[in-house]
Amino acid sequence: MSDLERKYLLHQLLPLARDVGVNQELRGWSWFQPPLKPYHEGVRLPMYAVASKYCPIGRDVYLHNVEGVPPKPSINVALGKMFHGVVSDCLLSFLQQRRFSFEEWWRKIRWDEIPEKPENVYEPSRIVWDFVSKLCEARIAEVSSRQPYASSYDVISSALPFLVEHKISGELLGLSGILSLDCYDYLHAIMFDLKVNDEPKDWHRLAPVGYSIVFESVYEVPVDICCIVYLNIRNGRISINKNLFFASEELRQWWIEERDKKLEIVAEGKDPGLPNRSQCREDCMYFEACYG
């Protein structure tokens, strides 16, 4: 986090969260009562199905979960899978103090799970690996210089206070029992979500807010701050933008509405029909299923 982002967090977002607060009914630990209690208890959805609005009316959820139509991934989906793996595995190599090189990591990739040719994703993946490695090394060096008598464990715990790809159950809220958080900063209680090759959109906030509610439902600790990290590579150079925000009541209510709508589509097998054609992107994984 940059100095400016830290100032924004300390002097604006956290005071806002303390002053405004969140109604207890919208905290995850109230999962057993409305509005958080899922109406359709027999259905479980992954977080991306609830929080994604690539299809504005949720027909992708119907096609996948009711009709069983398989998605057709695009290059952006492949890059998203690769970059999530690069970032999480690189961070874990520091956290677990089991450093390995990018080439070692590359040799272990299961290519049957990546919908793209290796030669098309090698260079951008290497660039991201090097970038994350340098950030971690710099952060560890900074903390170590301030705490010269701290153990390696203490230094890393302070420099990189992250739960990465933490496995958590969303079953109390009508979600899958095998959710995976991109990253949670347990010292500052910030829920991070990584977006790859994507332009910021308001609905991107739904996923980290949803994960915050799930985290509250399982561990009963409040999570008020979320951060979306936009990772792009343009002309061989990395671009990072962060969107820090308060997981407000309005955003929590929006997430609940999306969850209830998607659960209803699946539980009742309701085809929402075709969206307005102008709202559809041709790289949508279900474009052919709708218009082919």
Side-chain angles (χ1 to χ4, degrees):
M1 197 172 294
S2 69
D3 289 342
L4 284 179
E5 290 161 346
R6 201 179 307 279
K7 284 180 182 290
Y8 179 60
L9 172 68
L10 294 177
H11 300 298
Q12 188 157 336
L13 278 184
L14 288 176
L16 173 67
R18 290 169 188 142
D19 288 346
V20 175
V22 172
N23 189 312
Q24 295 300 303
E25 292 182 345
L26 298 173
R27 291 289 194 186
W29 52 73
S30 297
W31 56 268
F32 53 86
Q33 61 185 13
L36 275 174
K37 182 179 180 180
Y39 183 75
H40 297 284
E41 295 185 351
V43 180
R44 299 282 184 269
L45 289 176
M47 182 65 79
Y48 66 80
V50 171
S52 168
K53 289 187 70 64
Y54 287 109
C55 178
I57 60 173
R59 191 160 198 259
D60 51 351
V61 175
Y62 168 77
L63 290 172
H64 183 69
N65 294 279
V66 179
E67 295 290 339
V69 178
K72 290 196 172 181
S74 64
I75 177 66
N76 278 341
V77 173
L79 280 176
K81 281 179 169 287
M82 288 297 296
F83 287 0
H84 273 83
V86 168
V87 172
S88 62
D89 288 345
C90 189
L91 280 171
L92 287 171
S93 77
F94 280 91
L95 291 170
Q96 297 170 353
Q97 300 185 56
R98 294 188 303 172
R99 296 297 312 281
F100 46 86
S101 68
F102 172 74
E103 297 298 337
E104 290 175 278
W105 176 81
W106 181 261
R107 287 194 290 272
K108 296 179 181 176
I109 294 175
R110 295 190 292 269
W111 288 105
D112 57 321
E113 298 177 6
I114 306 297
E116 189 53 71
K117 296 178 181 176
E119 58 268 29
N120 292 340
V121 292
Y122 175 86
E123 188 58 18
S125 298
R126 186 193 60 77
I127 291 172
V128 174
W129 182 280
D130 290 345
F131 178 78
V132 176
S133 294
K134 288 174 182 173
L135 283 182
C136 291
E137 289 166 356
R139 181 68 184 144
I140 290 170
E142 178 193 349
V143 172
S144 182
S145 68
R146 287 192 278 109
Q147 298 291 341
Y149 303 110
S151 66
S152 296
Y153 175 81
D154 283 338
V155 169
I156 290 174
S157 298
S158 298
L160 308 172
F162 303 139
L163 291 176
V164 178
E165 295 293 339
H166 179 63
K167 307 306 179 199
I168 191 169
S169 174
E171 291 178 277
L172 296 174
L173 295 162
L175 303 179
S176 165
I178 50 172
L179 300 180
S180 184
L181 312 179
D182 280 357
C183 181
Y184 176 66
D185 180 334
Y186 53 79
L187 288 185
H188 306 96
I190 302 174
M191 189 64 69
F192 286 89
D193 194 53
L194 178 66
K195 291 290 181 189
V196 173
N197 273 6
D198 217 338
E199 297 298 323
K201 296 178 178 59
D202 287 344
W203 61 263
H204 286 170
R205 294 184 170 192
L206 289 172
V209 167
Y211 282 123
S212 297
I213 297 173
V214 169
F215 200 87
E216 291 174 347
S217 76
V218 173
Y219 298 114
E220 305 211 3
V221 295
V223 182
D224 289 332
I225 307 300
C226 297
C227 181
I228 305 172
V229 179
Y230 290 95
L231 169 61
N232 293 287
I233 294 188
R234 298 189 177 94
N235 301 319
R237 299 184 64 177
I238 282 187
S239 167
I240 299 283
N241 289 296
K242 301 190 193 82
N243 179 213
L244 272 164
F245 61 94
F246 170 40
S248 65
E249 292 186 357
E250 290 76 12
L251 287 170
R252 289 166 184 263
Q253 288 166 340
W254 187 11
W255 182 85
I256 294 168
E257 289 169 10
E258 289 296 324
R259 181 205 59 177
D260 290 347
K261 182 172 71 177
K262 306 289 177 57
L263 288 178
E264 182 179 356
I265 287 173
V266 177
E268 300 183 8
K270 293 172 60 176
D271 185 350
L274 291 175
N276 187 312
R277 177 68 177 79
S278 63
Q279 296 177 291
C280 297
R281 293 169 43 160
E282 293 191 6
D283 61 352
C284 170
M285 294 192 291
Y286 292 93
F287 186 85
E288 284 189 23
C290 286
Y291 299 103

